[in-house]
Protein backbone atom coordinates (compact mmCIF):
# COMPACT_ATOMS: atom_id res chain seq x y z
CA UNK A 1 0.00 0.00 0.00
CA UNK A 2 1.42 3.33 -1.07
CA UNK A 3 1.72 5.99 1.60
CA UNK A 4 2.96 9.55 1.37
CA UNK A 5 3.46 11.24 4.72
CA UNK A 6 4.23 14.96 4.93
CA UNK A 7 5.98 16.71 7.80
CA UNK A 8 7.54 20.07 8.56
CA UNK A 9 4.52 22.34 8.46
CA UNK A 10 3.92 24.97 11.11
CA UNK A 11 3.62 28.65 11.89
CA UNK A 12 6.21 31.07 10.55
CA UNK A 13 6.44 34.83 10.17
CA UNK A 14 6.43 36.48 6.78
CA UNK A 15 9.91 36.45 5.29
CA UNK A 16 10.82 33.26 7.11
CA UNK A 17 11.57 29.77 5.85
CA UNK A 18 10.23 26.26 6.27
CA UNK A 19 11.25 22.91 4.87
CA UNK A 20 8.60 20.33 4.12
CA UNK A 21 9.43 16.66 3.82
CA UNK A 22 7.52 13.73 2.39
CA UNK A 23 8.31 10.12 3.18
CA UNK A 24 7.07 7.63 0.60
CA UNK A 25 6.49 3.97 1.33
CA UNK A 26 4.90 0.98 -0.34
CA UNK A 27 6.91 1.28 -3.55
CA UNK A 28 9.98 3.18 -4.78
CA UNK A 29 9.36 6.50 -6.52
CA UNK A 30 12.88 7.24 -7.69
CA UNK A 31 11.86 7.02 -11.34
CA UNK A 32 8.54 8.79 -10.99
CA UNK A 33 7.26 12.30 -11.17
CA UNK A 34 6.64 13.73 -7.70
CA UNK A 35 5.35 17.08 -6.62
CA UNK A 36 3.66 19.42 -4.19
CA UNK A 37 0.23 20.99 -4.31
CA UNK A 38 -1.42 23.35 -1.85
CA UNK A 39 -4.90 24.35 -0.84
CA UNK A 40 -5.56 27.68 0.83
CA UNK A 41 -8.68 28.18 2.98
CA UNK A 42 -11.75 28.48 0.78
CA UNK A 43 -9.81 27.90 -2.44
CA UNK A 44 -9.11 25.04 -4.81
CA UNK A 45 -6.04 22.87 -4.56
CA UNK A 46 -3.32 24.13 -6.92
CA UNK A 47 0.01 23.04 -8.28
CA UNK A 48 3.15 24.27 -6.53
CA UNK A 49 6.13 22.31 -7.86
CA UNK A 50 7.15 19.05 -9.48
CA UNK A 51 10.27 17.07 -10.22
CA UNK A 52 10.71 14.57 -13.03
CA UNK A 53 11.69 11.02 -12.23
CA UNK A 54 14.78 10.26 -14.27
CA UNK A 55 16.10 13.70 -15.23
CA UNK A 56 15.39 15.46 -11.94
CA UNK A 57 14.21 18.47 -13.89
CA UNK A 58 12.10 20.80 -11.75
CA UNK A 59 8.97 22.83 -12.47
CA UNK A 60 7.32 25.58 -10.44
CA UNK A 61 4.20 27.67 -10.41
CA UNK A 62 4.82 31.34 -11.10
CA UNK A 63 3.76 32.26 -7.56
CA UNK A 64 6.62 30.33 -5.92
CA UNK A 65 9.34 30.43 -8.59
CA UNK A 66 12.57 31.78 -7.14
CA UNK A 67 11.44 31.24 -3.54
CA UNK A 68 10.72 27.49 -3.31
CA UNK A 69 13.00 24.60 -4.21
CA UNK A 70 11.83 21.03 -4.73
CA UNK A 71 14.28 18.16 -4.32
CA UNK A 72 14.31 14.43 -3.85
CA UNK A 73 16.46 11.74 -2.25
CA UNK A 74 15.85 8.58 -4.22
CA UNK A 75 17.88 6.43 -1.85
CA UNK A 76 15.58 7.42 1.02
CA UNK A 77 12.42 7.62 -1.12
CA UNK A 78 11.76 11.14 0.11
CA UNK A 79 10.70 14.45 -1.37
CA UNK A 80 11.37 17.92 0.06
CA UNK A 81 10.21 21.47 -0.48
CA UNK A 82 12.40 24.28 0.79
CA UNK A 83 10.29 27.41 1.16
CA UNK A 84 12.03 30.76 1.58
CA UNK A 85 10.78 34.33 1.72
CA UNK A 86 7.38 33.10 2.79
CA UNK A 87 4.35 35.34 2.37
CA UNK A 88 0.96 35.29 4.10
CA UNK A 89 -0.56 34.14 0.79
CA UNK A 90 1.52 30.97 1.03
CA UNK A 91 -0.69 29.89 3.94
CA UNK A 92 -2.25 26.57 2.93
CA UNK A 93 -2.31 22.85 3.46
CA UNK A 94 0.55 21.41 1.42
CA UNK A 95 0.17 17.98 -0.19
CA UNK A 96 2.88 15.62 -1.36
CA UNK A 97 2.04 13.79 -4.58
CA UNK A 98 3.52 11.09 -6.77
CA UNK A 99 2.65 9.77 -10.20
CA UNK A 100 3.11 6.48 -11.99
CA UNK A 101 4.80 8.22 -14.93
CA UNK A 102 8.45 9.15 -15.30
CA UNK A 103 8.46 12.38 -17.28
CA UNK A 104 6.67 15.56 -16.29
CA UNK A 105 4.12 17.07 -18.62
CA UNK A 106 1.53 19.79 -18.22
CA UNK A 107 -1.25 17.44 -17.13
CA UNK A 108 0.62 16.86 -13.87
CA UNK A 109 -0.39 20.38 -12.87
CA UNK A 110 -3.92 19.07 -12.46
CA UNK A 111 -3.12 16.10 -10.26
CA UNK A 112 -1.14 12.91 -9.77
CA UNK A 113 -1.92 9.33 -8.84
CA UNK A 114 -0.96 9.28 -5.17
CA UNK A 115 -1.56 11.87 -2.44
CA UNK A 116 -0.54 12.45 1.14
CA UNK A 117 -2.89 13.82 3.79
CA UNK A 118 -1.26 17.22 3.88
CA UNK A 119 0.59 19.44 6.32
CA UNK A 120 -0.53 22.93 7.33
CA UNK A 121 1.70 25.93 6.72
CA UNK A 122 0.63 29.21 8.28
CA UNK A 123 2.48 32.42 7.47
CA UNK A 124 1.72 35.36 9.73
CA UNK A 125 2.10 38.97 8.62
Amino acid sequence: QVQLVESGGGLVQAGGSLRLSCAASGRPFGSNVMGWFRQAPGKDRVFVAAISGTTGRTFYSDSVKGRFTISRDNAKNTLSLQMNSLKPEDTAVYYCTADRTTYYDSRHKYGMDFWGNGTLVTVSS
Side-chain angles (χ1 to χ4, degrees):
Q1 181 181 355
V2 171
Q3 278 195 312
L4 301 174
V5 180
E6 304 94 338
S7 61
L11 174 64
V12 63
Q13 287 190 329
S17 298
L18 275 178
R19 185 177 181 87
L20 304 184
S21 295
C22 172
S25 61
R27 58 164 284 178
F29 284 103
S31 298
N32 299 87
V33 177
M34 297 187 76
W36 293 91
F37 284 69
R38 68 185 182 187
Q39 186 169 20
K43 296 189 176 181
D44 293 335
R45 191 156 54 184
V46 296
F47 170 79
V48 174
I51 184 166
S52 265
T54 301
T55 65
R57 189 177 174 190
T58 56
F59 306 85
Y60 299 93
S61 67
D62 289 342
S63 61
V64 307
K65 198 173 296 183
R67 300 187 298 122
F68 290 12
T69 303
I70 187 171
S71 61
R72 66 196 302 161
D73 184 332
N74 291 338
K76 296 181 179 179
N77 215 23
T78 59
L79 182 73
S80 297
L81 185 69
Q82 177 66 41
M83 306 185 295
N84 299 328
S85 303
L86 282 161
K87 306 174 181 179
E89 51 264 42
D90 293 318
T91 294
V93 176
Y94 283 72
Y95 297 89
C96 173
T97 64
D99 202 73
R100 292 185 175 92
T101 56
T102 298
Y103 297 104
Y104 174 85
D105 62 52
S106 59
R107 70 175 179 85
H108 288 112
K109 287 186 178 180
Y110 301 99
M112 299 191 192
D113 295 317
F114 305 102
W115 294 82
N117 289 327
T119 185
L120 176 63
V121 172
T122 304
V123 184
S124 64
S125 56

